[in-house]
Amino acid sequence: AQSVTQPDIHITVSEGASLELRCNYSYGATPYLFWYVQSPGQGLQLLLKYFSGDTLVQGIKGFEAEFKRSQSSFNLRKPSVHWSDAAEYFCAVGASIGGGADGLTFGKGTHLIIQP
Amino acid sequence: DGGITQSPKYLFRKEGQNVTLSCEQNLNHDAMYWYRQDPGQGLRLIYYSQIVNDFQKGDIAEGYSVSREKKESFPLTVTSAQKNPTAFYLCASSIAGSPGTQYFGPGTRLLVL
């Protein structure tokens, strides 16, 4: 079965500084990988996704992520964070081409705190 | 505007009571899902449905039931058999065959009185 690990429960970053959130996955075949963001008491919004092709994917709000098969990682990055980026971030993996219809496996999330 | 609506935003359950959470989508998506979110636990899949009149158990289906009589609607019932129902419940939908691009509703917070 697939699994996702987000090693950092909380991360604190100063406004304007760069950000990297870590995500490691476990899956036997080529995974379908996603990053979602959740503001307090809200649903999840898709930031970006990787299915195949270029291993560096661009998303909304200035985020990007890089798929590294050798490291089983899909880390999320942003060159300069804004106070509005404070939220919970979830990495997720889909099982297969039918993974979208079978549900996603989520990591436990990383809580991002922005210092002024 | 297309999207997913969940109601109510907050729901209170008494001991031994069944409660139903509503999820409606107007995105014309075939697949719909229910997730449960607990603090520090991420999201866990309860049930999903790929097509009308068919649904499958997820990882934590015990104590829950669903129906899918219409493409637009996928209500979740939290039964009295669910001993720890306090959580944030999220509904999502996706295009069938579109791996993982799920769109989420705003969620329902269920509390036990």
Side-chain angles (χ1 to χ4, degrees):
Chain A
Q2 66 261 30
S3 66
V4 177
T5 301
Q6 294 180 246
D8 303 305
I9 298 173
H10 302 277
I11 281 188
T12 301
V13 178
S14 297
E15 190 169 15
S18 63
L19 169 71
E20 183 171 34
L21 302 182
R22 296 183 291 166
C23 173
N24 293 98
Y25 67 90
S26 174
Y27 183 62
T30 299
Y32 296 84
L33 295 161
F34 311 85
W35 275 100
Y36 284 85
V37 61
Q38 183 183 36
S39 297
Q42 302 297 316
L44 274 67
Q45 181 182 23
L46 179 67
L47 285 176
L48 47 79
K49 60 189 178 185
Y50 171 79
F51 291 167
S52 64
D54 193 346
T55 56
L56 183 65
V57 293
Q58 303 296 320
I60 62 171
K61 304 185 179 187
F63 286 93
E64 67 178 26
E66 186 172 12
F67 170 59
K68 293 185 177 180
R69 185 188 300 275
S70 62
Q71 299 178 19
S72 298
S73 69
F74 189 56
N75 294 349
L76 182 71
R77 301 195 293 250
K78 187 171 184 178
S80 176
V81 297
H82 186 262
W83 64 266
S84 60
D85 292 325
E88 192 85 15
Y89 290 80
F90 293 96
C91 182
V93 61
S96 68
I97 192 66
D102 295 341
L104 296 172
T105 298
F106 285 84
K108 294 187 177 182
T110 296
H111 184 60
L112 176 62
I113 300 166
I114 306 297
Q115 283 183 336
Chain B
D1 287 340
I4 301 175
T5 57
Q6 291 186 242
S7 62
K9 187 173 178 65
Y10 295 96
L11 186 58
F12 298 92
R13 193 190 92 163
K14 296 180 180 178
E15 292 290 337
Q17 185 181 41
N18 292 354
V19 293
T20 298
L21 286 63
S22 169
C23 177
E24 304 276 335
Q25 55 97 1
N26 61 4
L27 300 168
N28 200 33
H29 286 170
D30 292 299
M32 297 187 74
Y33 317 81
W34 275 104
Y35 292 91
R36 169 178 171 143
Q37 184 178 22
D38 297 281
Q41 294 298 313
L43 281 72
R44 292 179 290 171
L45 184 65
I46 305 172
Y47 269 99
Y48 63 98
S49 168
Q50 300 180 17
I51 195 169
V52 173
N53 292 322
D54 186 51
F55 48 83
Q56 308 297 326
K57 292 183 179 180
D59 300 321
I60 56 165
E62 186 175 351
Y64 300 96
S65 66
V66 294
S67 63
R68 186 87 188 277
E69 298 177 0
K70 298 186 299 181
K71 186 176 184 178
E72 302 79 19
S73 178
F74 191 40
L76 174 74
T77 296
V78 183
T79 74
S80 57
Q82 173 50 245
K83 299 305 180 187
N84 184 23
T86 297
F88 191 51
Y89 291 86
L90 287 158
C91 178
S93 70
S94 72
I95 300 171
S98 173
T101 310
Q102 296 182 13
Y103 298 86
F104 283 80
T108 292
R109 186 164 299 280
L110 177 60
L111 300 167
V112 177
L113 295 176

